[in-house]
């Protein structure tokens, strides 16, 4: 009887696991479908997609003589050439003006790399430094800092956009490259906790031995702990880079004259007509999706090669390498 | 000898303190300016009233008392405010019940390295590599163009619009997307937490005859409880900050038939003036933000305390 009951329990558990497998498989198929559909659609012409109604099939390469398949990406690169009006604001240093600018793929990419790469480096480097100080210098202030970050993560500060915008303008940092760098020097995030946990896991004997040998505090940090943290630094920086590459709202809010690729994709994906007034021709679903793919494809390629590092064993509670 | 020891010790301590102060100076300065002063400014802005000068240049700043809070309360407790809260609460509870439950189940499946778990892990993470804007645009056209085409081919009649075009289906369509999108990151973080569970505990449970479900309840869940708690507690703030990707779906000119506070606050912050006789100003938004923080903060802290007190223990 007990054996039967055990077998029955076992089969229910297996059934549950297979049900989970089924739901997971369905979800995974939906993820694959949306990306493949997007990629395929980005190569269709407007005639093919909208007029002929070929919404789910492969591109009809013979359909149109006038529109060449794959032209969407060329159109997108041209559509990224839009105008941003001149602007100015008052700061404590006087009037700060931004002239009218015309964007192009090059300038968008430069802005994106600046925002994503420099910004993520400053962000993660700052978190690393503060996490090291908190973990290895056991002063009361270190405990206070750690608790502060925890509290800030839990207590939401809602609706401080207006004050942040005003502060950025007062300091003359709104809409500037310097503003991007300075706003990135922050340590109040989840990755600080992860890095602090990492440094706490490294024995103090390393630094003690170095001190006996006469190394300065700065040397110990740079020559011992920074190399040890290289792997986790790279992983977190990669994650932060991806986040910043995709972020269009911050650029829209604080740096409107320094548009990034994500910002440009946002602008063009909501247009009814071709954003570049000098271009004639359709601006429809396939073109908008092609614009989205220009933002997504570099990261998908990055993910294919670096997925193990990107998904690395970083957890909120600690670290496992 | 004692004097030498004390000198050496104080010299070492001094060096450590100097290094500590120097390394923390810049990050703390940035924090002081942008977080402390920034939020203090937000606090002060809520009590200020900006009036355009008679000359038309610059503003007269006066103390507004609680006027901005009255405007903010009018927004928060109005019918529209109530609708926004209701929309966000529905998403929060859907996330709490559907997403959390399924994410835990998916994570457990992947952590146990069952069939195709490696592939599932990669595919679940993929939506979070790509911009939320990209997915929102892809989804938008799937539920518009593709939906209309499929309905036409099945029924022979082309619908008037996609699922986003009707007020009856728009919210449900957006809600479904947000639930679908929410899985991936949850699963990866839960999976990482589960894989860090001590293997000897799992072996001991297996020896004692625990099945997979019992292992999850008594071994895995208590060990990942801290991660679980972070999601639940921080989710409260999401009620007023989650924009449900509305900006990605509708842009600045699209027609959304519903709103949520996160999107409302973001859009208003971009366009609200400093001075407006009707009161819909940046000062009002700051006051609204403070009101919302005052409501959500104690709930977040209280929930965390309760979960810590009554939740499962690793011991």
């Amino acid at each position: 009887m007990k054996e039967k009951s055990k077998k029955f329990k076992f089969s229910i558990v297996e059934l549950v696991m297979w049900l989970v497998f089924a739901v997971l498989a369905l979800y995974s198929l939906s993820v694959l479908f949306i990306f493949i559909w997007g990629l395929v659609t980005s190569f269709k012409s407007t005639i093919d997609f909208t007029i002929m109604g070929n919404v789910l099939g492969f591109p009809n390469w013979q359909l149109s003589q006038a529109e060449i398949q794959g032209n969407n990406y060329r159109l997108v690169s041209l559509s990224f050439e839009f105008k941003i009006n001149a602007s100015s604001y008052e700061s404590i240093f006087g009037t700060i003006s931004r002239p009218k600018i015309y964007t192009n793929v090059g300038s968008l990419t430069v802005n994106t790399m600046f925002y994503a790469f420099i910004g993520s480096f400053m962000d993660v480097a700052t978190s690393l430094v503060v996490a090291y100080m908190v973990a290895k210098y056991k002063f009361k202030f270190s405990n206070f800092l750690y608790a502060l970050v925890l509290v800030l993560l839990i207590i939401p500060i809602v609706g401080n956009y207006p004050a942040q915008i005003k502060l950025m303008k007062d300091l003359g940092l709104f809409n500037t490259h310097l503003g991007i760098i300075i706003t990135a020097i922050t340590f109040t995030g989840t990755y600080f906790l992860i890095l602090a946990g990492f440094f706490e896991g490294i024995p103090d004997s390393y630094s003690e031995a170095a001190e006996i040998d006469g190394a300065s505090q700065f040397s110990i940090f740079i020559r011992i702990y920074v190399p040890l943290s290289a792997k986790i630094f790279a992983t977190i920086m990669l994650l932060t880079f991806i986040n910043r590459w995709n972020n269009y709202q911050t650029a829209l809010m604080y740096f409107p004259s320094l548009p990034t690729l994500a910002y440009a994709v946002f602008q063009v994906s909501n247009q009814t007509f071709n954003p570049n007034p000098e271009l004639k021709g359709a601006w429809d679903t396939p073109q908008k999706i092609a614009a989205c793919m220009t933002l997504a494809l570099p990261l998908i390629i990055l993910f294919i090669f670096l997925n193990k590092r990107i998904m690395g064993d970083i957890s909120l509670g600690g670290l496992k390498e | 000898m004692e004097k030498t020891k004390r000198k050496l010790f104080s010299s070492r301590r001094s060096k450590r303190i100097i290094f500590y102060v120097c390394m923390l100076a810049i990050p703390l300065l940035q924090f002081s300016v942008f977080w402390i002063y920034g939020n203090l400014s937000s606090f002060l802005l809520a009590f200020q009233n900006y009036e355009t000068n008679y000359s038309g240049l610059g503003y007269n700043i006066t103390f507004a008392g609680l006027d901005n809070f009255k405007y903010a309360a009018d927004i928060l407790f109005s019918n529209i405010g109530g609708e926004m809260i209701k929309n966000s609460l529905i998403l929060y509870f859907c996330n709490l019940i559907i997403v959390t439950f399924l994410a835990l189940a998916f994570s457990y499946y992947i952590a146990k390295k069952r069939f195709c778990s490696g592939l599932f892990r990669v595919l679940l993470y993929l939506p979070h590599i790509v911009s939320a804007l990209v997915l929102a645009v892809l989804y938008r056209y799937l539920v518009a163009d593709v939906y209309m085409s499929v309905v036409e081919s099945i029924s022979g009649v082309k619908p008037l619009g996609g699922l986003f075009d009707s007020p009856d289906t728009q919210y449900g369509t957006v809600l479904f997307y947000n639930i679908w999108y929410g899985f991936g990151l949850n699963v990866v973080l839960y999976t990482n937490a589960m894989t860090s569970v001590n293997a000897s505990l799992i072996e001991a449970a297996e020896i004692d005859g625990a099945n997979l479900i019992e292992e999850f309840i008594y071994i895995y869940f208590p060990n990942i409880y801290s991660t679980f708690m972070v999601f639940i507690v921080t989710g409260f703030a999401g009620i007023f900050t989650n924009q449900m990707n509305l900006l990605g779906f509708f842009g600045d000119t699209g027609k959304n038939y519903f709103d949520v506070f996160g999107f409302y606050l973001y859009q208003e912050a971009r366009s609200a003036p400093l001075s407006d006789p009707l009161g819909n100003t940046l000062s009002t938004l700051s006051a609204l933000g403070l009101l919302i923080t005052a409501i959500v903060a104690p709930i977040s802290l209280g929930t965390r305390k309760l979960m810590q007190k009554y939740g499962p223990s690793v011991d």
Side-chain angles (χ1 to χ4, degrees), chain A residues 14 21 27-28 30 136-137 142 152 154 156-158 164 166 182 185 211 246 249 269 285 288 314, chain B residues 12 16 19-20 30 34-35 39 50 109 114 120 124 129 140-141 145 180 192 243 266 289 293:
Chain A
E14 276 303 308
F21 167 79
Y27 182 84
S28 301
S30 70
K136 291 301 179 193
Y137 291 75
S142 297
L152 292 179
I154 295 165
I157 304 293
V158 181
Q164 290 290 340
K166 192 173 171 307
I182 290 181
I185 303 175
E211 277 187 76
N246 290 328
Q249 290 193 339
S269 64
T285 303
K288 293 178 195 178
I314 290 177
Chain B
R12 179 177 178 263
R16 284 171 66 83
F19 178 66
Y20 185 79
Q30 199 270 10
F34 286 91
W35 202 92
N39 285 296
Y50 283 72
Y109 183 94
R114 303 274 297 195
F120 288 149
L124 280 161
I129 292 299
R140 184 171 81 199
Y141 291 112
D145 298 305
W180 177 86
N192 286 344
Q243 298 183 21
Y266 179 80
T293 304

Side-chain angles (χ1 to χ4, degrees), chain A residues 108-109 111-112 115 244-245 247-248 251 258-265:
Chain A
L108 292 172
T109 309
N111 286 339
T112 304
Y115 180 71
R244 282 178 160 257
W245 176 279
N247 187 332
Y248 65 99
L258 300 171
T260 57
L261 273 169
Y263 174 106
V265 169

Side-chain angles (χ1 to χ4, degrees), chain B residues 3 5 11 22 44 52 86 123 152 159 161 167 173 179 182 196 203 206 213 244 268 285 301:
Chain B
K3 261 193 185 171
K5 266 190 188 169
S11 164
C22 290
L44 290 174
T52 320
K86 185 192 92 178
L123 289 174
E152 189 185 6
T173 309
I179 292 170
S196 63
E203 280 167 21
E206 282 170 1
I213 294 177
M244 291 184 80
E268 289 298 310
L285 282 180
L301 288 170

Side-chain angles (χ1 to χ4, degrees), chain B residues 238-279:
Chain B
I239 293 171
F240 290 100
T241 57
N242 196 327
Q243 298 183 21
M244 291 184 80
N245 288 290
L246 290 180
L247 189 64
F249 286 129
F250 302 107
D252 287 326
T253 54
K255 201 169 183 180
N256 50 306
Y257 294 111
F258 72 95
D259 211 342
V260 289
F261 259 110
F263 187 56
Y264 171 81
L265 286 170
Y266 179 80
Q267 289 292 71
E268 289 298 310
R270 285 172 63 200
S271 58
L274 271 172
S275 172
D276 183 347
L278 294 174

Side-chain angles (χ1 to χ4, degrees), chain B residues 201-214:
Chain B
L201 284 174
I202 302 161
E203 280 167 21
E206 282 170 1
I207 290 167
D208 287 342
N211 61 37
L212 288 170
I213 294 177
E214 284 164 343

Side-chain angles (χ1 to χ4, degrees), chain B residues 123-282:
Chain B
L123 289 174
L124 280 161
Y125 202 77
L126 193 54
H128 291 273
I129 292 299
V130 166
S131 169
L133 169 66
V134 167
L135 282 171
V137 170
L138 289 175
Y139 182 76
R140 184 171 81 199
Y141 291 112
L142 264 175
V143 299
D145 298 305
V146 174
Y147 164 77
M148 288 197 290
S149 179
V150 167
V151 167
E152 189 185 6
S153 60
I154 293 171
S155 66
V157 176
K158 189 168 183 175
L160 289 171
L163 292 171
F164 273 150
D165 299 321
S166 162
D168 296 329
T169 54
Q170 192 184 78
Y171 178 72
T173 309
V174 171
L175 183 67
F176 177 81
Y177 170 82
N178 280 275
I179 292 170
W180 177 86
Y181 183 75
F183 280 122
L185 194 61
N186 286 3
V187 170
V188 172
L189 287 172
Y190 282 138
T191 307
N192 286 344
M194 285 184 190
T195 50
S196 63
V197 171
N198 198 328
S200 56
L201 284 174
I202 302 161
E203 280 167 21
E206 282 170 1
I207 290 167
D208 287 342
N211 61 37
L212 288 170
I213 294 177
E214 284 164 343
E215 259 183 53
F216 175 78
I217 294 169
Y218 296 112
I219 308 288
Y220 281 92
F221 187 68
N223 277 280
I224 64 150
Y225 187 69
S226 55
T227 307
F228 176 75
M229 197 169 59
V230 167
F231 277 117
I232 301 296
V233 170
T234 54
F236 272 120
I239 293 171
F240 290 100
T241 57
N242 196 327
Q243 298 183 21
M244 291 184 80
N245 288 290
L246 290 180
L247 189 64
F249 286 129
F250 302 107
D252 287 326
T253 54
K255 201 169 183 180
N256 50 306
Y257 294 111
F258 72 95
D259 211 342
V260 289
F261 259 110
F263 187 56
Y264 171 81
L265 286 170
Y266 179 80
Q267 289 292 71
E268 289 298 310
R270 285 172 63 200
S271 58
L274 271 172
S275 172
D276 183 347
L278 294 174
N280 194 19
T281 64
L282 289 179

